Structures are given as C-alpha cells and as structure tokens.
Amino acid sequence: MNSSHFSISLHILTLLDQVKGQLLNSEYIAGSINCNPVLVRKELANLHKHGFVQSKEGKGGGSTLAKNPAEINLGDVYWAVKQKKLLGESKNEPNPDCPVGKQITKHLTDLYDDAETALVKSLSSKTLKDFSAGFK
Amino acid sequence: MNSSHFSISLHILTLLDQVKGQLLNSEYIAGSINCNPVLVRKELANLHKHGFVQSKEGKGGGSTLAKNPAEINLGDVYWAVKQKKLLGESKNEPNPDCPVGKQITKHLTDLYDDAETALVKSLSSKTLKDFSAGFK
DNA sequence: TCATACTGTAACTATTTTTATTACAGAACA
DNA sequence: TGTTCTGTAATAAAAATAGTTACAGTATGA
C-alpha cells in the first residue's frame, strides 16, 4: 500500500465513531486531519463503496458509520483501502534472460503475500471500537 | 517502507548468492534488475553499511556476500533497507485542537508497530539461503 | 421556490518522491 | 598508464501524491 490512505481512512472512521451517529461533513473531517476536503470526500467514497460509511447529500448532509464499530475490523479496512503493493516492486520488468530476473517476481510475490497475511492478521485482531476506545 | 528498495536489495543478494562468491559488478546486476547501475551502487552501499555485502573497487571489481546466506534473514534485510514508514501517514500534522487529531498519531504509530512486528516476524522466518534455494 | 450548504466527481495544478542520467575522483589491475 | 571498476554528488526526468477549482445534483428550510 502506502501513501496515507489507511491513516486517513482510519482517522475518518474514528471521528465518525466518536460522534456516535452524528453526521460529519468533509470540511470538518478535513479540519481534523489537516488536509483537503476533496481528499476526504474521495476517501469517503471508497469507504462507502466498501460499506463502512453512509453519506447524506445536500444541506446539513455529511457522513456516518454504516455498521457497528465493533464489527469493523482493521484488517478489513486495510483491504478496502489498499491500492498498491505493501512492499514496492521495481518499476521495470526484471530481465527475463537472467535466471534470477526471470523468476524473482513470483518469488517476491509469494514472500510478500505471506508477510502481508501476517500484517493483516495483526490488524484484524483489533476493531474500530477497540481503536477508538483508546481516545479519551 | 516502500519504493522498491527491499525488492532491489533482495534481488541483489539473491544474485550474489547464486554466483557463490564470484564478484558481480553493478552493471551486470542492473542488467538483471533492469534499472540504472547507479541505483544498484547506492543499494549496495546500504547493504555494505549493514554488513551484508563486500565490494572491491577498481578493474575487475564488484560485490559479493559478506556473510553466509544461511545467516542472513529477510527480517534483518527489511530493517536494513527500511527508510519510510510501512504504512504511510498524512503529510500534515493532524489538528491539535481536535481530540482525535491530537492523539491519532500516537495511536497509529502503536498500531503500525504491532503490524510491522508481525510482518517482520514472517520475513524473519526465512533466510537468504531459503529464498535463493527457490530459484532453479 | 429560491438561497444555502452539502456530496460526488472531474479536470487540472502543484508538490514531493522516486528513478535515471551525467560526471568525475579514486582504486585496482594488467 | 590506460582501462575498468566503485563511490558519490549533482542534476534531470518521470511518476505518484496531494491540493485546488469548478460545478452538477441533492436536500433543507425560510
């Protein structure tokens, strides 16, 4: 993955949990994250696509959680938010005429898949409720 | 982390293992990875700093492993190569006047540390020898 | 019904990060 | 002493990320 998608999404979800069903608009959320409201709306669009949030358009609109925070686990958020490989790969194709270059992509993929599985397992052991409960 | 540092470093180490002590120069390695030789030399400089490789300057020079591949584990390579956070954070500081913004950086850091520990544990279960043995 | 305040989305710009290139001093070798 | 490397810096190009502007569509309520 990378870039700040996961951090921003989790920040959004935490805010929405903290206000317990109240609608928050993108400007308010952006104010907490300190980023552009359009970025927040894009992130919300993705969270919506994956069923984590609901939004209401028009005046007085905003977003709220679409499920119980105890049923949102952070591993699922990870998958929903993921866009790129966790561990980057070389932009160019390795040399197919080299015995190592020819096979390395597959071997790296296998290695990274295992590592990512371990990472997600760790994230999945926590729910949004757990995470949010840490804020006091 | 991210960008392709880890992939490139592991590609280099695998090549060096495969040739069993023979010196490989940066141009040859770059040819296998399909990237710029200067990038390889920078990556080698970092691997050298962390004791994984040795280099010989001058004509006929190149690099070779500095330790037994059975004693290089991929978790250690991860730490040696890591430059950035595994999971990105928002570039801007969250709003310190918001109860969530004020604390989220610490909470994200804790969460990511756990996740990274799990990831590294997975990587550490394999050595360069293991990884390289997969190439036939 | 009309001004207002939102979302959703696209198009574009700016900034930052990553990768590639050029260049060259110094080392080893033949 | 010419050649072929490393090591490293400086710079340029390319790609990824974030910010901005703009606006159609939707809900609200005066």
Side-chain angles (χ1 to χ4, degrees), chain A residues 1-4 84 86-88, chain B residues 1-6 78-89 91 112-113 116 119:
Chain A
M1 161 152 65
N2 232 19
S3 71
S4 51
K84 303 198 329 180
L86 179 65
L87 296 165
Chain B
M1 161 153 66
N2 233 22
S3 71
S4 51
H5 289 289
F6 185 79
Y78 174 88
W79 292 124
V81 153
K82 176 178 175 180
Q83 302 190 335
K84 303 199 330 179
K85 295 225 167 83
L86 178 64
L87 295 164
E89 290 193 341
K91 189 143 310 305
Y112 292 175
D113 284 352
E116 186 175 51
L119 175 122

Side-chain angles (χ1 to χ4, degrees), chain A residues 65-127:
Chain A
L65 291 180
K67 21 161 121 179
N68 186 326
E71 276 147 24
I72 294 176
N73 91 56
L74 303 188
D76 291 340
V77 176
Y78 174 88
W79 291 123
V81 153
K82 176 179 175 179
Q83 303 189 335
K84 303 198 329 180
K85 295 225 168 83
L86 179 65
L87 296 165
E89 290 193 343
S90 184
K91 188 144 310 303
N92 310 326
E93 292 255 313
N95 188 342
D97 299 330
C98 166
V100 171
K102 187 186 193 166
Q103 304 176 59
I104 194 150
T105 303
K106 165 157 184 31
H107 286 106
L108 286 175
T109 299
D110 291 349
L111 179 69
Y112 291 175
D113 283 352
D114 285 356
E116 187 175 49
T117 297
L119 174 121
V120 171
K121 195 170 167 190
S122 165
L123 291 175
S124 295
S125 70
K126 291 141 192 161
T127 66

